[in-house]
Amino acid sequence: DTAVSQTPKYLVTQMGNDKSIKCEQNLGHDTMYWYKQDSKKFLKIMFSYNNKELIINETVPNRFSPKSPDKAHLNLHINSLELGDSAVYFCASSQDSLTGELFFGEGSRLTVL
Amino acid sequence: KQEVTQIPAALSVPEGENLVLNCSFTDSAIYNLQWFRQDPGKGLTSLLLIQSSQREQTSGRLNASLDKSSGRSTLYIAASQPGDSATYLCAVSGAAGNKLTFGGGTRVLVKP
C-alpha cells in the first residue's frame, strides 16, 4: 500500500502548455511538500502545506500553483511550461510541520520539449 | 543561508567493507538531520532521523552520528552488500516548517 503516491510518473509536453501533477498520502500526516530535483540531482523545496494552509513558498515563479483540497492531497499546477521546468518533482509528507520525518513519493519526471 | 555538503560525491568499495559517508552543514541551528537513500529513477527512502538533541541513531547495519556544534554527521554502513548501491542524501531541517536543505548526495557502488 503506497504511502505517498504521485501521478503521472512521466510527463512529456511542449513549451507553453499547462500541466498538473497530483499527490496523495494515506499516512494521516498534516504536512505535505513539493520538492524539485534538477538535472544535477540537487533537491530543493518549492512549497509546503500544513492542514491545507500554505506555510512555505520558496520564491517559486507564479506559473507554479499548488492546491491542497484536503490535508491528504497536494497538487501542483504549472502554467506556460518552459524548458527549464524539466526536472523530477517529488511530493512528500510529514506528521507535522516542525520536526517530523519526511516520506517521499516516487517522483514525477517532467520533460518539456 | 544553510548549505549542506556531502563528501565524497562518489564511492566504490568491495562487498563486505564498511562504508563511511560524510555530511557537513554550515548553520548548526538545526531541528533535525535525516539520511535518505535514492535508487536510480526512484523516490527517496528515509533511513534515519536524528533529532537535534540526539547524538546518534541506529537501525540494523546503519548508524548515523550527529555533532551539531561542528556541523557534521556521519553515516556508517557495516559490512556493505551490493544491494547497498544507491545514492545517499543527507538533509537538515533548520526552521519552522520542516524545510529540508539537501546535500548533493554520495553515489555508492558496492562491488560483489
Side-chain angles (χ1 to χ4, degrees):
Chain A
D1 212 15
T2 307
V4 182
S5 57
Q6 305 177 220
T7 53
K9 191 167 180 179
Y10 299 98
L11 192 51
V12 180
T13 188
Q14 300 285 335
M15 265 174 47
N17 283 351
D18 303 338
K19 290 293 176 188
S20 293
I21 306 172
K22 295 186 177 182
C23 179
E24 176 182 4
Q25 54 96 1
N26 62 7
L27 297 166
H29 287 169
D30 286 344
T31 310
M32 294 185 73
Y33 312 79
W34 278 109
Y35 279 81
K36 179 180 179 180
Q37 188 171 41
D38 61 25
S39 56
K40 294 182 180 176
K41 305 296 184 188
F42 277 97
L43 266 156
K44 287 186 181 172
I45 191 165
M46 299 174 70
F47 301 103
S48 171
Y49 272 72
N50 186 61
N51 264 320
K52 304 192 297 176
E53 212 172 298
L54 180 67
I55 54 172
I56 294 176
N57 182 342
E58 199 65 6
T59 59
V60 177
N62 290 341
R63 299 181 296 103
F64 290 78
S65 52
K67 283 191 172 54
S68 182
D70 56 61
K71 73 174 193 176
H73 295 85
L74 180 61
N75 304 322
L76 183 65
H77 188 75
I78 315 170
N79 289 327
S80 304
L81 279 157
E82 300 177 357
L83 292 176
D85 297 333
S86 296
V88 182
Y89 292 86
F90 286 98
C91 177
S93 73
S94 63
Q95 183 64 58
D96 59 56
S97 62
L98 294 175
T99 61
E101 184 178 5
L102 261 70
F103 295 86
F104 280 78
E106 295 236 318
S108 297
R109 181 176 292 279
L110 171 65
T111 302
V112 182
L113 303 174
Chain B
K1 182 188 165 187
Q2 178 74 271
E3 288 180 8
V4 181
T5 305
Q6 290 185 248
I7 294 172
L11 187 57
S12 179
V13 299
E15 183 177 1
E17 217 170 86
N18 296 333
L19 283 163
V20 180
L21 308 179
N22 297 304
C23 172
S24 61
F25 45 95
T26 54
D27 185 349
S28 61
I30 65 169
Y31 281 85
N32 61 46
L33 182 144
Q34 204 166 345
W35 281 95
F36 295 90
R37 168 188 172 135
Q38 185 175 27
D39 292 286
K42 298 284 187 183
L44 280 70
T45 301
S46 177
L47 297 174
L48 291 166
L49 170 73
I50 312 177
Q51 300 291 355
S52 61
S53 57
Q54 297 173 317
R55 299 283 295 196
E56 67 175 347
Q57 277 285 354
T58 298
S59 175
R61 294 185 294 113
L62 274 58
N63 174 279
S65 64
L66 174 63
D67 184 342
K68 239 179 52 164
S69 58
S70 67
R72 288 185 201 166
S73 176
T74 303
L75 178 66
Y76 300 90
I77 304 178
S80 62
Q81 303 167 358
D84 295 329
S85 298
T87 296
Y88 292 82
L89 295 150
C90 85
V92 297
S93 172
N98 210 12
K99 171 182 150 180
L100 288 184
T101 302
F102 280 84
T106 295
R107 195 169 65 253
V108 170
L109 176 63
V110 180
K111 293 184 269 191

